[in-house]
Amino acid sequence: VILSAMEQMGPTQVFSSLQGALPSGSDTSIVICSNSLTNNPRQLDNIPANVTLIEYGFQAEYPFMDNLENLSRSGCQQLVCVGTSSWGCLVGRPANMIQNILEGVAASDLCSASGVLLASWAASPALSPLASALPGWTLGLGAAWNSRVTKEEVNQHLGDILTHHIFYDQTGSSGKVLLDLGNNEASVELPSGLGTANILGSSVLLSVVMRPDTVDLYNTSSEHLGRVVQEVRRALARLQVSREGGGGAGEGLIQEIATAGELLLLAAR
């Protein structure tokens, strides 16, 4: 809205009137979405330096670095918003989440941005449990402390960190199970390039549960679904060790993972 108003009224009039139009004081910072500036770069020279720009990106290969570099000519402070990749699915999309967060944090660090926000949006229907967002939130905290962490290190250690420090699971490997379930769900995504393949939209297996008559499984082989069924069954068997051990303080979250895994198994079958 602000950028559209700038086109019609000019930046001086728009920003000078914002303080009176918004329920805020004179010391309130104004933060605006910068994504639309990618296609309207001439406005960068017209934004006051006391405005903060926030760049939203949730794809694994979102061009954070290029966009932040282009936006830097405005002289404004910048923020980056990445995501947990846990919406629009039954369990999560760990691979997309890991790459998205690491690249967003790295770009923020290299461009001296003011900070990183980590969003967990809700989709419709919103069936994924709270536990599905915890890997992203945990990784975001860790990467903010150490922006040089690598994808290999994350894949090696994130599951154990979730198990012991988030789920307080002393008997099993619930964090690794959660990531494995999410990777199995994501493996059934339709090939990229098809109109229905959208990482921000519903996963194939969520659509199977909620809108079975609309799902095109032409590009999904029965052999692959059979492997997913077997992998999910093995993961749920491993999760039973955590449940039988009482789950500790994170027992409720472990039960959430189990329920989501059972729904994933049903969808794959």
Side-chain angles (χ1 to χ4, degrees):
V1 175
I2 293 175
L3 296 177
S4 298
M6 287 173 60
E7 289 281 351
Q8 300 176 11
M9 303 166 54
T12 303
Q13 184 176 351
V14 170
F15 284 102
S16 62
S17 62
L18 274 179
Q19 295 294 348
L22 298 174
S24 59
S26 58
D27 58 344
T28 301
S29 298
I30 297 174
V31 180
I32 64 175
C33 173
S34 60
N35 295 66
S36 56
L37 289 169
T38 302
N39 298 321
N40 197 3
R42 67 181 183 278
Q43 293 288 11
L44 285 173
D45 299 325
N46 299 322
I47 299 176
N50 62 345
V51 171
T52 298
L53 303 176
I54 180 168
E55 183 75 9
Y56 293 87
F58 307 114
Q59 302 281 8
E61 298 179 354
Y62 187 80
F64 284 112
M65 195 66 197
D66 290 342
N67 290 357
L68 291 185
E69 287 180 338
N70 292 333
L71 292 167
S72 64
R73 63 183 254 206
S74 67
C76 297
Q77 293 189 70
Q78 298 185 70
L79 294 169
V80 168
C81 185
V82 293
T84 64
S85 300
S86 62
W87 57 89
C89 53
L90 294 170
V91 182
R93 298 178 175 98
N96 185 83
M97 174 271 294
I98 291 170
Q99 185 171 345
N100 174 247
I101 291 175
L102 293 184
E103 293 195 3
V105 170
S108 173
D109 186 35
L110 290 171
C111 293
S112 299
S114 299
V116 176
L117 283 74
L118 211 162
S120 189
W121 302 109
S124 179
L127 295 186
S128 56
L130 171 64
S132 296
L134 291 171
W137 287 335
T138 302
L139 175 58
L141 286 170
W145 172 71
N146 177 18
S147 62
R148 293 178 176 82
V149 64
T150 66
K151 187 187 302 184
E152 290 72 23
E153 290 170 333
V154 173
N155 286 326
Q156 181 179 357
H157 298 296
L158 182 58
D160 289 338
I161 292 171
L162 291 167
T163 297
H164 300 297
H165 301 290
I166 304 301
F167 299 135
Y168 300 102
D169 176 8
Q170 302 303 316
T171 61
S173 56
S174 52
K176 184 65 166 57
V177 170
L178 173 59
L179 297 175
D180 288 346
L181 290 172
N183 284 323
N184 274 287
E185 178 178 9
S187 75
V188 191
E189 293 286 345
L190 297 177
S192 60
L194 297 180
T196 50
N198 179 1
I199 197 65
L200 300 181
S202 297
S203 72
V204 172
L205 293 181
L206 173 62
S207 297
V208 167
V209 173
M210 300 303 300
R211 295 175 287 270
D213 295 336
T214 68
V215 180
D216 181 3
L217 295 175
Y218 180 79
N219 292 286
T220 304
S221 70
S222 58
E223 291 80 7
H224 180 67
L225 285 173
R227 289 194 297 272
V228 169
V229 167
Q230 294 302 316
E231 289 294 331
V232 171
R233 290 177 64 182
R234 280 193 282 267
L236 290 174
R238 287 158 48 210
L239 190 62
Q240 189 62 31
V241 175
S242 303
R243 300 176 72 187
E244 291 174 352
E251 180 176 4
L253 293 172
I254 293 174
Q255 298 293 351
E256 283 189 357
I257 300 169
T259 301
E262 293 288 354
L263 191 55
L264 181 62
L265 180 60
L266 174 65
R269 282 173 169 167

